[in-house]
Amino acid sequence: MELIWDGITEALRLIFSGDAEVYEIMLLSLAVSAAATGIALVIGLSIASFLAFRAPPGRMLALSILNSGMALPPVVVGLVVAVMLWRTGPLGQLHLLYTPAAIVIAQAVIATPIVTALSVVALQTLHPKLRLQVLALGASRWQAAWLLFREARLPLLAAVMAGFGAAISEVGASIMVGGNIKGSTRTLTTATVLETSQGDFETAIALSFILLALVYAVTLTFTIIQQRRRAS
Amino acid sequence: MTQPKMGVRGVLVERAGHRILFVEELDVSPGEVLAVVGPNGAGKSTLIHVLALLERPSAGEVLFDGRPVRDGLLSYRRRMAVVFQEPLLLDATVESNVGSGLALRGVPRAERAHRVRRWLERFGIAALARRSARTLSGGEAQRVSLARALALEPEVLLMDEPFAALDEPTRQALIDDLDRALAETGTTVVFVSHDRAEALRLGDRVAVIIGGRIRQVGPPSQVFAAPADEEVAAFLGVETIVPGRISAVEEGLAVVEVSGCRVEAASALEGQSAGEVLVCLRPEDVVLSPAEDRPAATSARNRLPSVVRRVVRSGAQVRVELDAGFPLVALITKQSLEELSLEAGSRVVASFKATAVHLIPRHARPQSPTG
């Protein structure tokens, strides 16, 4: 228990002393996971709109695959992405392995099924004729999409938060494709694993606390956006 | 004849191999209100979707101002407005809902605010302007939906059962408001309904759609007086429906001029002392008696000397089509037919009580109906 207290104290010290390395790790974690969530959102909303509004044949199959995709083990994703990015792999020419971009790709793969599956449900909560009404009001395709996403903003923001949560909290994929290189691909989770393996539990706990605080800050922002209109 | 505002040619809609709708030709003139009536599942909503360019037919085309609509659907959609059975409001305030279509169409803010205010007032919902649309009752929400459509000042207004989900008093009040608004704006309207009373109330012309096909199109009085076939008659209910004009109202009794004849009706119309009406009479309420009879002392306020035009037997009942100065239908038994020995050309007196007459008010529209 004392260890945890020491860890939290250390975390606060690292944050308020402006420790450059910790800030770098924190910002990289945030940037990488935000980018991955952004990619997942663009892909997810496109697929979800197609599945929810067009009701194509095979929707059930697609949804069941997406739903199991929510349980995609990060280690498996990391392994597959790493194989793809190996110098001899199909995407080896891009030289992305052990760069932050590789982590973004892996995290996007993890977050996309989550964002997509939850977005489909979010859009399905809308009245089936609302899309027709919006088009009849004179909306272009993009205007219609924007209006419908805005109508479904509560569950859609939940999908975003779930996707971001999955991205920033995973460690298996980041280690495999990023390699936990100091000053380059070290994130809060990979750093925590490293400190733990080296027996520096106090720093590990401090990093964990910083990760939780970061997740909370981001989620709080989304929650405020999500619930703002509800209150009125 | 003026060029139709909108129409369809050879429109076929098939879903999963089933023919949902097939309309060879249907036109609506500028400023006309076309009421499309039919039972549930007749293809009415599909017709509205096709006209609104929200559903592409399997074959055929939609005409707008006489030209086939092939591409640039968005620009055509922006000249129309659609009201569905459900209000389908956005999760925003009432005023922002009413302004939403205008915003999408790029109407400048000042003009938008002006039109929103005007239509909120027209539909009696100005007090709800700042309310969240989620807190509205069904009737209020449908008012917002209508205001949102009319604020667009569309060239063509399409409505799919806009009153079906409302309770009776709410429905009547809303129909009154809409009727006034349409009379004022001269908007071309196509609306579908399963309720024939709504069609009579608002329609300049009525189209009857059954089983995905338009069976009959014409002025309400004509369609209701002479259904094209049995299915149409069964759906409409055979009735005498003739246009008339109220000339006086005395103690709840309206005197209506119908083609030079005087018909008395126990009027339920509040505050209506003059104006155009449709006179509706069920055939089973019409009593026939020999022409030479002395006028017996009965409580029937209306006794019209008539000539039998046609006698149609259907089962135990006989439908007698009369000329009373206007077309009138009576439903009598086979026994009565034999006792009165009626045939085409027979002279009879048709009687009916003032309470059996139902009046439907008609507002004069800027453009008179064609056909």
Side-chain angles (χ1 to χ4, degrees):
Chain A
M1 196 57 212
E2 200 188 308
L3 197 61
I4 291 179
W5 272 119
D6 288 348
I8 293 174
T9 318
E10 174 67 4
L12 293 173
R13 192 189 65 76
L14 287 170
I15 292 171
F16 289 109
S17 68
D19 185 287
E21 196 187 339
V22 164
Y23 269 88
E24 194 185 303
I25 293 176
M26 207 165 86
L27 286 177
L28 182 74
S29 286
L30 189 62
V32 161
S33 299
T37 310
I39 293 170
L41 188 63
V42 171
I43 299 173
L45 281 179
S46 312
I47 298 175
S49 300
F50 180 70
L51 290 177
F53 298 138
R54 297 297 164 92
R59 173 160 74 164
M60 217 53 118
L61 179 70
L63 280 176
S64 59
I65 292 171
L66 282 171
N67 285 333
S68 17
M70 292 206 280
L72 212 53
V75 170
V76 176
V77 173
L79 185 60
V80 173
V81 173
V83 169
M84 299 290 233
L85 296 178
W86 273 344
R87 212 173 313 158
T88 53
L91 302 174
Q93 295 301 312
L94 300 174
H95 302 293
L96 289 179
L97 200 58
Y98 306 128
T99 67
I103 308 179
V104 171
I105 293 172
Q107 290 191 352
V109 172
I110 293 165
T112 298
I114 298 171
V115 174
T116 312
L118 295 178
S119 297
V120 173
V121 178
L123 296 179
Q124 281 179 332
T125 60
L126 296 176
H127 193 291
K129 274 156 98 180
L130 187 63
R131 182 169 159 273
L132 290 182
Q133 175 71 81
V134 166
L135 290 172
L137 283 171
S140 66
R141 285 171 64 135
W142 291 110
Q143 286 176 320
W146 170 247
L147 274 181
L148 292 170
F149 294 159
R150 214 180 59 179
E151 278 306 288
R153 61 188 174 274
L154 271 112
L156 280 182
L157 281 166
V160 171
M161 286 188 260
F164 178 77
I168 201 164
S169 63
E170 69 78 34
V171 59
S174 292
I175 283 193
M176 257 185 231
V177 303
N180 193 27
I181 300 165
K182 188 176 176 184
S184 164
T185 58
R186 183 163 294 176
T187 64
L188 283 168
T189 51
T190 60
T192 306
V193 170
L194 179 73
E195 298 301 339
T196 308
S197 66
Q198 288 177 347
D200 188 350
F201 295 111
E202 193 182 288
T203 310
I205 288 169
L207 291 171
S208 304
F209 179 79
I210 292 170
L211 174 64
L212 289 178
L214 187 65
V215 169
Y216 180 73
V218 172
T219 314
L220 177 67
T221 311
F222 279 122
T223 308
I224 290 170
I225 297 171
Q226 184 191 42
Q227 301 294 328
R228 194 177 42 190
R229 285 289 310 281
R230 282 274 121 171
S232 64
Chain B
M1 167 148 175
T2 51
Q3 173 173 280
K5 185 68 202 171
M6 219 183 165
V8 295
R9 292 290 178 278
V11 157
L12 171 70
V13 177
E14 285 179 330
R15 266 181 227 141
H18 286 279
R19 179 177 283 201
I20 308 289
L21 180 73
F22 180 66
V23 182
E24 273 169 54
E25 187 180 321
L26 184 68
D27 285 320
V28 52
S29 303
E32 181 186 40
V33 178
L34 176 68
V36 180
V37 292
N40 289 329
K44 303 186 301 283
S45 298
T46 308
L47 177 64
I48 289 290
H49 289 180
V50 169
L51 286 168
L53 306 173
L54 295 171
E55 179 167 352
R56 213 179 264 276
S58 319
E61 38 187 30
V62 176
L63 307 181
F64 201 97
D65 282 337
R67 277 188 299 278
V69 176
R70 298 226 168 84
D71 38 32
L73 299 190
L74 179 61
S75 65
Y76 282 106
R77 271 195 219 114
R78 288 184 172 176
R79 296 165 70 181
M80 303 191 254
V82 185
V83 177
F84 291 95
Q85 180 177 337
E86 307 83 1
L88 299 172
L89 301 179
L90 300 172
D91 185 6
T93 62
V94 165
E95 62 184 352
S96 113
N97 263 287
V98 173
S100 59
L102 293 167
L104 288 170
R105 295 178 189 201
V107 173
R109 191 175 291 269
E111 167 71 7
R112 207 156 77 203
H114 172 74
R115 286 209 226 167
V116 167
R117 208 174 320 115
R118 171 155 172 254
W119 286 99
L120 284 172
E121 277 163 19
R122 284 307 308 268
F123 280 98
I125 43 175
L128 305 177
R130 310 266 164 177
R131 279 261 295 274
S132 159
R134 277 183 285 112
T135 65
L136 301 178
S137 70
E140 289 168 340
Q142 197 61 338
R143 277 176 185 276
V144 175
S145 179
L146 278 165
R148 174 174 66 179
L150 283 157
L152 295 169
E153 293 172 12
E155 292 172 51
V156 177
L157 175 63
L158 304 166
M159 298 190 287
D160 185 1
E161 299 270 11
F163 316 110
L166 305 176
D167 60 64
E168 194 49 32
T170 310
R171 205 171 72 118
Q172 287 309 331
L174 193 47
I175 290 176
D176 282 343
D177 285 352
L178 178 65
D179 193 20
R180 269 192 289 274
L182 293 180
E184 193 179 285
T185 56
T187 311
T188 305
V189 181
V190 179
F191 88 96
V192 306
S193 172
H194 67 280
D195 185 309
R196 60 209 182 104
E198 279 175 15
L200 283 169
R201 178 79 168 74
L202 294 171
D204 295 321
R205 275 197 311 156
V206 174
V208 183
I209 184 170
I210 296 174
R213 300 195 71 129
I214 305 272
R215 302 295 188 87
Q216 192 172 6
V217 190
S221 51
Q222 186 193 317
V223 171
F224 280 80
D229 57 44
E230 254 177 76
E231 272 187 288
V232 173
F235 173 70
L236 296 177
V238 185
E239 261 196 21
T240 294
I241 296 170
V242 287
R245 164 174 280 277
I246 296 180
S247 57
V249 178
E250 296 153 4
E251 293 171 26
L253 203 63
V255 178
V256 187
E257 304 283 347
V258 185
S259 314
C261 301
R262 178 191 154 95
V263 170
E264 292 186 11
S267 175
L269 303 176
E270 288 162 34
Q272 180 123 14
S273 57
E276 304 293 329
V277 288
L278 283 178
V279 177
C280 308
L281 188 57
R282 302 193 144 275
E284 51 268 42
D285 290 332
V286 178
V287 175
L288 301 182
S289 48
E292 57 270 21
D293 267 16
R294 289 277 130 74
T298 74
S299 60
R301 298 288 309 168
N302 298 290
R303 277 188 294 276
L304 304 171
S306 313
V307 179
V308 176
R309 286 281 171 236
R310 202 155 76 106
V311 176
V312 185
R313 288 176 177 80
S314 68
Q317 292 189 317
V318 182
R319 184 166 179 260
V320 183
E321 296 178 12
L322 304 154
D323 181 358
F326 56 89
L328 180 66
V329 180
L331 199 63
I332 61 175
T333 60
K334 220 155 59 180
Q335 288 80 355
S336 300
L337 180 79
E338 283 158 14
E339 277 174 32
L340 293 168
S341 58
L342 293 182
E343 52 183 29
S346 302
R347 299 192 160 274
V348 290
V349 171
S351 320
F352 48 90
K353 300 168 75 168
T355 48
V357 180
H358 176 57
L359 299 180
I360 296 176
R362 302 271 305 175
H363 287 284
R365 291 188 205 292
Q367 258 122 337
S368 62
T370 54

